[in-house]
């Protein structure tokens, strides 16, 4: 007859050096302020609906990742301003990983069926992801400037101030063009002295400049690599937009959004927006 296995064998004993007493020391929960973080999920449904916690956590974690993305984009922009290209590219590499995480998160929310969402939607009232100030910060940093978007945050003085400042500051792409100009590239002067509150529009001379870079990558490797990093960022951003659209269509169909937008049709129009138009237009020229 087989022996009964020792129940204690499947147990890892604590090593002597492991900290046990946190009465006078900082713990993991203290450092991360988990008491505050984990108390921030406050469902509003009555009676409480099981799936509302998913909806809240999905959007709260997205806001945390957006906060980190803003931190990295601001740093990348500042590094370009001082011509520190290598660390700026390191920041953008991290941004891309954040973007992929945000896109993957939609798969969790996609488990919410239309019937389940219908149980919690009335409790959202007029709140909507469209109203995310941090998402707007990311768009402004990347160059999608729109003064009307600032008006959505008129009720929030801090958010409005941040967006107003970003609206009138050079975007990441603007700082790249200024960097290229300082490195001796023939960036049109009108692009260096323009109204920063307006979105950048395609410039044929800039397409010519990038065509020269892509024609001889080895001679312009730093610029070439930076261009491809920006295309990666925009491509990841578009994947996030498209996945968002898919999940919204799957969950609510063509209903009007809680914030008053047309919903899916409004999201679909965002797919036509581009941050770095010349970096896509130049592809038609490559190899001609």
């Amino acid at each position: 007859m087989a022996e009964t296995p020792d129940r204690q064998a499947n147990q890892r004993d604590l090593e002597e050096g492991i900290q046990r007493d946190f009465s006078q020391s900082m713990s993991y929960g203290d450092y991360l302020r988990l008491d505050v973080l984990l108390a921030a999920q406050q469902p509003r449904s009555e009676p409480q609906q099981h799936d509302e916690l998913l909806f809240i956590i999905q959007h709260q974690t997205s806001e945390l990742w957006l906060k980190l993305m803003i931190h990295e984009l601001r740093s990348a922009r500042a590094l370009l301003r001082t011509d520190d290209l290598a660390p700026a590219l390191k920041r953008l590499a991290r941004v891309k990983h954040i973007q992929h995480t945000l896109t993957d998160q939609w798969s969790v929310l996609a488990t919410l069926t239309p019937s389940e969402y219908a149980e919690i939607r009335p409790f959202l009232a007029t709140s909507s992801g469209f109203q995310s100030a941090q998402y707007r910060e990311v768009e402004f940093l990347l160059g999608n400037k729109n003064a009307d978007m600032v008006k959505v945050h008129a009720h929030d003085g801090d958010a409005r101030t941040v967006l107003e400042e970003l609206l009138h500051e050079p975007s990441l792409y603007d700082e790249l063009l200024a960097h290229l100009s300082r490195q001796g590239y023939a960036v049109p002067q009108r692009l260096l002295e323009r109204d920063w509150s307006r979105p950048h529009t395609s410039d044929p001379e800039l397409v010519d400049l990038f065509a020269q870079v892509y024609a001889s990558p080895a001679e312009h490797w730093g610029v070439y690599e930076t261009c491809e990093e920006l295309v990666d960022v925009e491509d990841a951003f578009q994947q996030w937009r498209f996945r968002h659209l898919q999940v919204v269509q799957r969950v609510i169909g063509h209903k009007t959004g809680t914030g008053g937008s047309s919903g899916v049709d409004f999201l679909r129009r965002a797919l036509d927006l581009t941050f770095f138009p010349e970096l896509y237009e130049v592809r038609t020229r490559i190899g001609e």
Side-chain angles (χ1 to χ4, degrees), residues 33-42 60:
R33 297 295 308 277
L34 293 182
D35 56 336
V36 176
L37 182 65
L38 299 181
Q41 296 74 49
Q42 300 289 331
Q60 287 184 342

Side-chain angles (χ1 to χ4, degrees), residues 194-211:
R194 68 184 192 85
D195 178 1
W196 306 125
S197 69
R198 306 289 299 174
H200 172 82
T201 56
S202 181
D203 188 286
E205 289 186 49
L206 198 54
V207 178
D208 292 341
L209 187 160
F210 287 131

Side-chain angles (χ1 to χ4, degrees), residues 71-81 87-88 91-92 172:
H71 177 68
E72 301 297 340
L73 287 173
R74 282 183 176 273
S75 178
R77 186 180 62 162
L79 288 164
L80 286 175
R81 192 176 298 137
R91 304 291 191 270
L92 294 181
L172 180 73

Side-chain angles (χ1 to χ4, degrees), residues 214-228:
Y214 277 84
S216 304
E219 297 177 25
H220 310 276
W221 189 261
V223 179
Y224 175 73
E225 182 182 13
T226 304
C227 290
E228 286 300 288

Side-chain angles (χ1 to χ4, degrees), residues 73-134:
L73 287 173
R74 282 183 176 273
S75 178
R77 186 180 62 162
L79 288 164
L80 286 175
R81 192 176 298 137
T82 55
D83 300 322
D84 294 320
L85 187 60
L89 295 182
K90 176 64 168 64
R91 304 291 191 270
L92 294 181
R94 182 174 290 167
V95 165
K96 291 189 296 183
H97 286 291
I98 297 169
Q99 289 176 301
H100 293 155
T101 297
L102 282 166
T103 300
D104 287 344
Q105 281 192 181
W106 287 119
S107 296
V108 184
L109 194 63
T111 64
L112 189 67
T113 68
S115 300
E116 291 165 345
Y117 178 66
E119 295 296 325
I120 64 176
R121 189 179 190 192
F123 301 96
L124 302 181
T126 56
S127 65
S128 166
F130 174 77
Q131 299 148 13
S132 169
Q134 290 199 124

Side-chain angles (χ1 to χ4, degrees), residues 1-286:
M1 183 175 179
E3 295 182 6
T4 303
D6 183 357
R7 294 183 63 185
Q8 298 302 313
N10 192 32
Q11 177 178 309
R12 181 178 61 173
D13 294 330
L14 288 181
E15 297 173 352
E16 286 300 317
I18 290 179
Q19 183 80 20
R20 293 173 172 80
D21 181 6
F22 296 97
S23 58
Q24 302 297 322
S25 303
M26 179 184 290
S27 70
Y28 173 81
D30 294 334
Y31 177 72
L32 295 178
R33 297 295 308 277
L34 293 182
D35 56 336
V36 176
L37 182 65
L38 299 181
Q41 296 74 49
Q42 300 289 331
R44 293 175 176 267
S45 55
E46 186 62 44
Q48 187 169 322
Q49 299 300 314
H50 174 82
D51 298 293
E52 190 177 5
L53 187 62
L54 160 63
F55 194 85
I56 292 172
I57 289 177
Q58 169 85 25
H59 291 83
Q60 287 184 342
T61 52
S62 293
E63 289 294 327
L64 288 173
W65 285 120
L66 287 172
K67 183 174 183 176
L68 182 57
M69 194 188 306
I70 291 165
H71 177 68
E72 301 297 340
L73 287 173
R74 282 183 176 273
S75 178
R77 186 180 62 162
L79 288 164
L80 286 175
R81 192 176 298 137
T82 55
D83 300 322
D84 294 320
L85 187 60
L89 295 182
K90 176 64 168 64
R91 304 291 191 270
L92 294 181
R94 182 174 290 167
V95 165
K96 291 189 296 183
H97 286 291
I98 297 169
Q99 289 176 301
H100 293 155
T101 297
L102 282 166
T103 300
D104 287 344
Q105 281 192 181
W106 287 119
S107 296
V108 184
L109 194 63
T111 64
L112 189 67
T113 68
S115 300
E116 291 165 345
Y117 178 66
E119 295 296 325
I120 64 176
R121 189 179 190 192
F123 301 96
L124 302 181
T126 56
S127 65
S128 166
F130 174 77
Q131 299 148 13
S132 169
Q134 290 199 124
Y135 175 81
R136 208 59 60 195
E137 283 186 59
V138 170
E139 286 213 320
F140 280 17
L141 282 164
L142 291 176
N144 184 19
K145 304 288 188 72
N146 186 336
D148 286 340
M149 297 300 181
V150 180
K151 299 174 184 177
V152 177
H153 304 280
H155 66 288
D156 184 339
D158 292 339
R160 184 183 67 244
T161 298
V162 170
L163 291 175
E164 282 283 2
E165 290 173 352
L166 285 176
L167 184 69
H168 294 95
E169 293 174 354
S171 70
L172 180 73
Y173 195 46
D174 292 321
E175 291 293 358
L176 172 63
L177 299 183
H179 165 75
L180 295 181
S181 178
R182 291 190 295 271
Q183 303 309 306
Y185 288 89
V187 178
Q189 191 65 25
R190 61 182 171 275
L191 300 181
L192 304 173
E193 299 175 344
R194 68 184 192 85
D195 178 1
W196 306 125
S197 69
R198 306 289 299 174
H200 172 82
T201 56
S202 181
D203 188 286
E205 289 186 49
L206 198 54
V207 178
D208 292 341
L209 187 160
F210 287 131
Q212 295 172 21
V213 170
Y214 277 84
S216 304
E219 297 177 25
H220 310 276
W221 189 261
V223 179
Y224 175 73
E225 182 182 13
T226 304
C227 290
E228 286 300 288
E229 284 288 330
L230 290 180
V231 170
D232 286 346
V233 168
E234 173 147 349
D235 185 59
F237 202 98
Q238 290 287 45
Q239 290 180 43
W240 183 92
R241 282 171 168 163
F242 182 66
R243 190 71 182 108
H244 182 194
L245 183 156
Q246 284 185 309
V247 173
V248 170
Q249 186 167 357
R250 172 177 178 148
V251 175
I252 70 169
H254 287 268
K255 291 186 179 71
T256 300
T258 50
S261 75
S262 57
V264 168
D265 292 337
F266 181 75
L267 296 175
R268 183 172 286 113
R269 289 196 295 275
L271 297 175
D272 293 328
L273 302 175
T274 180
F275 302 117
F276 321 121
E278 293 87 358
L279 298 184
Y280 284 90
E281 292 175 29
V282 73
R283 279 151 165 73
T284 306
R285 301 272 294 277
I286 298 170

